[in-house]
Amino acid sequence: MPRPVVVGLDGSPESFTAAHWAAHEAQRRGLPLSLVHAWLGQAGELPTPDSGDGEDAVGHWAQRIPRDAEKELSGRYPGLPLTAEQVPTTAVSALLERAEGAEMLVLGSRGLSGLTGFLLGSVGQQVLARAACPVVMVRANERSAAERPGDEVVVALRNLAEVPGALLEFAFAAASARGATLRAVHVRRLPSSDYGYGLATGPVGYLDGDLELQVHRELEKALEPWREKYPRVRVERTIDLAFVAGAVLRAAAEAGLLVVGRRAHRSALGPHLGPVTHAVLHHSPVPVAVVPHD
């Protein structure tokens, strides 16, 4: 059976925006959609009724979240296989469990401001760092609600000698499903801090001719197997010498989706996001897919 696109609901406008994004993604990939709402331990965050039994009223309110979302999405995406469930456990536990068998997990996030950035709550941070499948963070904004024709899928590639297959598989599949161009962005770390002035505003660096040719060859070699697997996906390349997160954000400024990687193994400090992924999540104006890999 096909693996579903799973979306976590919490009743917020951000989670409903994520649900619409997930439904559109599931439809164009030909996958089922699963809506999950967990509310155990969240009663204090839900509206308190003015009269009647508070606990029963809260439970009734909570049950409406997946039911209302299912009704709305079924009407907007007819024919999409869709299930909705309410799980009597914590959100992190429910989402991590369902991530085990999901194609991707989609979550909503509040913006840091009206213009840019994600605000990651404790649930989002834990799920991003520990989920077994790719996690897509979707902002409640116009860009997330409707991708524009021609919007690229951007994938950030770090070490070209060991490009994770899971990362490129997800990025090429996303571009193929959209009929979009895939832009592969590779950034060589700055040799010193003399280049650049900030996370996203540093000057674009340059490579000398020999090194530039070498990097292009390495990037093309990393992309070659996936270009053969997805021959209809047009691929563009961006190579930069700058701060990694800043260069990736510049490349993705007008994209429809940004794809970054996360090492799946646990460090001595436990699961966590790398500094580039963390920075991109906080500053990207577009949906960000975080793909775990070995």
Side-chain angles (χ1 to χ4, degrees):
M1 293 181 62
R3 295 159 64 93
V5 175
V6 177
V7 58
L9 297 173
D10 63 6
S12 68
E14 293 80 18
S15 73
F16 283 108
T17 298
H20 280 282
W21 188 96
H24 191 192
E25 188 72 6
Q27 187 176 65
R28 61 188 160 197
R29 288 182 181 234
L31 298 174
L33 178 68
S34 175
L35 308 176
V36 178
H37 175 238
W39 69 283
L40 183 66
Q42 298 180 9
E45 303 173 6
L46 299 175
T48 301
D50 295 330
S51 61
D53 188 314
E55 185 175 350
D56 289 346
V58 167
H60 177 72
W61 185 89
Q63 291 170 8
R64 289 181 52 189
I65 294 173
R67 186 172 64 244
D68 289 352
E70 181 180 22
K71 181 178 179 181
E72 181 176 346
L73 294 174
S74 295
R76 182 169 295 193
Y77 301 93
L80 175 66
L82 173 62
T83 61
E85 61 177 330
Q86 186 183 64
V87 185
T89 185
T90 63
V92 172
S93 297
L95 294 172
L96 289 177
E97 180 180 347
R98 278 145 188 80
E100 294 287 341
E103 184 71 18
M104 72 184 75
L105 178 63
V106 184
L107 302 176
S109 176
R110 288 183 292 142
L112 288 169
S113 71
L115 297 177
T116 185
F118 287 103
L119 180 61
L120 301 179
S122 61
V123 171
Q125 291 187 51
Q126 292 183 67
V127 172
L128 278 165
R130 298 164 57 190
C133 72
V135 179
V136 183
M137 299 300 298
V138 179
R139 283 189 61 202
N141 65 3
E142 199 171 298
R143 293 282 298 282
S144 299
E147 292 179 31
R148 301 166 300 188
D151 280 349
E152 295 180 333
V153 172
V154 173
V155 60
L157 304 177
R158 296 289 300 278
N159 182 2
L160 293 182
E162 299 179 357
V163 177
L167 181 64
L168 286 178
E169 174 68 46
F170 185 93
F172 269 88
S176 178
R178 290 164 170 73
T181 296
L182 176 67
R183 180 168 297 277
V185 179
H186 173 66
V187 184
R188 287 291 165 107
R189 286 185 178 275
L190 288 169
S192 74
S193 59
D194 294 336
Y195 299 82
Y197 305 100
L199 175 66
T201 58
V204 176
Y206 64 90
L207 304 171
D208 63 57
D210 291 341
L211 180 56
E212 182 178 10
L213 180 60
Q214 175 187 336
V215 173
H216 272 284
R217 287 173 175 169
E218 292 175 359
L219 180 54
E220 188 58 34
K221 182 178 180 181
L223 295 172
E224 184 177 3
W226 305 99
R227 297 183 75 161
E228 292 177 357
K229 183 175 181 179
Y230 294 91
R232 295 186 179 182
V233 173
R234 179 184 177 187
V235 179
E236 297 288 349
R237 298 171 296 182
T238 295
I239 297 173
D240 205 348
L241 179 65
F243 288 103
V244 179
V248 172
L249 288 167
R250 283 195 299 273
E254 299 299 322
L257 178 67
L258 171 58
V259 184
V260 296
R262 169 185 69 80
R263 288 197 176 276
H265 69 77
R266 295 191 176 190
S267 70
L269 300 176
H272 68 285
L273 300 174
V276 173
T277 297
H278 195 272
V280 165
L281 280 166
H282 276 78
H283 293 275
S284 173
V286 305
V288 179
V290 180
V291 181
H293 60 82
D294 296 330

